[in-house]
Amino acid sequence: MNKLIEVKNLKKWFYIGKATSGKKEVLRAVDDVSFYIKNKEVLGLVGESGCGKTTCGKTLLRIIDPTSGSIFFDNQEITNLNKNQMQSFRRRMMIIYQDPFGSLDPRMRIGKAISEPLEVHNIGTKKEREERVADLMEKVGLSTDQINRYPHEFSGGQRQRIGIARALATNPEFIVADESVSALDVSIQAQIINLLKSLQEEFGLTLLFVAHDLSVVKHISDRVAVMYLGKIVEMAEKRPIFNNPMHPYTQALLSSIPVPNPRQRKDQQILMGDVPSPVNPPSGCRFHTRCPKVMQICKQEEPALKEISTGYFTACHLYN
């Protein structure tokens, strides 16, 4: 198996405020997560808002540094590399941000914005960069006549296309797409997802697709990892996880997907209560406070993420 990305026992904790005892409180955004992404694979990372998906993606890229654990890129550990050592890896890994407007400098023309990664990494001559920008604009569905316009002159969908072009500029091997369609209208979402899918196949990209919309994840992903409160609770190939989810949390998420046929009734599992705070997560299984199948052991012992069938991992006492 050719793994491009491998993560072992990754943690990202944020120290916030001060508790009544005088010690700083710990927000466990990503808490002991292990997974891998195969070369040219799309791994969908899903879960409710605040579960740690975006933090996990940014930590993989070393945009933010991990608290502990190991990150491997193409079999090389990059966890503790300094800024200069990371430079050679930066051009090989990119990110598409959630907010297509906020991620662009409003004072920078889009041609300059797309070519900026090439300049930072000193790739090509000025003419070669101009040709690369023009080529990328055409590939993402933009006209080269728009090269000297500013971000505010484009629609949300067009701005996300600019973000995609910029992410592709250095010809990376790995891209984190962080909620890259959640800020767009539904019709535009479909266009951007289809664009990402075609570009992923054309360039042989490895993608971590972060999203909370399971119908979108189903369309683009090869495998799916489900996060809850900083932990991965289920991970498998797309088909078995959508056809026969094992973890109660995944079952509840999938039951919430709307059915486009008003005559077709669907049993929806409504999760009771709110998501607990990552500052003070529940003991045992973190999902036990909302789980409809909770047992006594769930309140006491944290279930390990185990392979219960070939390629199917779940963290639930129902199967341990």
Side-chain angles (χ1 to χ4, degrees), residues 159-220:
R159 286 195 288 261
Q160 196 57 284
R161 291 174 188 269
I162 296 167
I164 293 170
R166 183 174 60 177
L168 292 171
T170 60
N171 198 24
E173 298 160 57
F174 176 56
I175 291 179
V176 173
D178 178 25
E179 299 272 13
S180 52
V181 297
S182 63
L184 306 176
D185 293 337
V186 175
S187 59
I188 306 301
Q189 282 185 12
Q191 295 175 20
I192 298 299
I193 288 297
N194 289 332
L195 173 64
L196 279 173
K197 193 172 179 66
S198 64
L199 291 171
Q200 187 266 332
E201 293 170 354
E202 180 180 350
F203 292 102
L205 297 169
T206 303
L207 228 63
L208 177 67
F209 190 83
V210 177
H212 61 266
D213 189 334
L214 285 160
S215 57
V216 171
V217 170
K218 184 178 182 180
H219 182 68
I220 195 172

Side-chain angles (χ1 to χ4, degrees), residues 21 33 108 110 127 131 156 201 205 252 288-289 298 312:
S21 62
V33 163
M108 186 181 290
I110 63 125
K127 184 178 180 182
E131 291 173 351
E201 293 170 354
L205 297 169
H288 86 257
T289 57
C298 303
Y312 202 116

Side-chain angles (χ1 to χ4, degrees), residues 41-163:
E41 179 186 48
V42 181
L43 176 67
L45 186 60
V46 302
E48 293 171 287
S49 296
C51 72
K53 307 184 299 295
T54 293
T55 302
C56 184
K58 288 183 176 181
T59 306
L60 288 189
L61 300 178
R62 290 287 311 278
I63 294 174
I64 53 179
D65 292 327
T67 301
S68 65
S70 300
I71 305 166
F72 294 86
F73 180 86
D74 198 15
N75 295 318
Q76 299 179 68
E77 186 168 6
I78 64 170
T79 320
N80 298 311
L81 298 184
N82 60 36
K83 185 177 180 180
N84 291 332
Q85 292 170 326
M86 274 298 298
Q87 189 68 13
S88 61
F89 291 94
R90 293 290 182 202
R91 61 183 290 178
R92 301 173 64 187
M93 49 174 71
M94 290 288 171
I95 185 169
I96 302 168
Y97 288 99
Q98 177 178 0
D99 182 1
F101 188 65
S103 63
L104 295 170
D105 187 337
R107 299 166 298 179
M108 186 181 290
R109 300 178 193 270
I110 63 125
K112 175 73 173 176
I114 296 171
S115 68
E116 190 176 29
L118 299 171
E119 296 172 12
V120 169
H121 293 284
N122 197 26
I123 300 173
T125 63
K126 183 178 180 181
K127 184 178 180 182
E128 288 171 339
R129 291 169 189 164
E130 290 173 352
E131 291 173 351
R132 176 68 172 162
V133 169
D135 181 56
L136 286 169
M137 288 184 68
E138 290 179 358
K139 285 190 181 297
V140 300
L142 295 170
S143 169
T144 52
D145 296 336
Q146 300 168 310
I147 197 166
N148 289 317
R149 293 185 181 180
Y150 291 94
H152 72 269
E153 298 180 76
F154 294 88
S155 67
Q158 288 175 319
R159 286 195 288 261
Q160 196 57 284
R161 291 174 188 269
I162 296 167

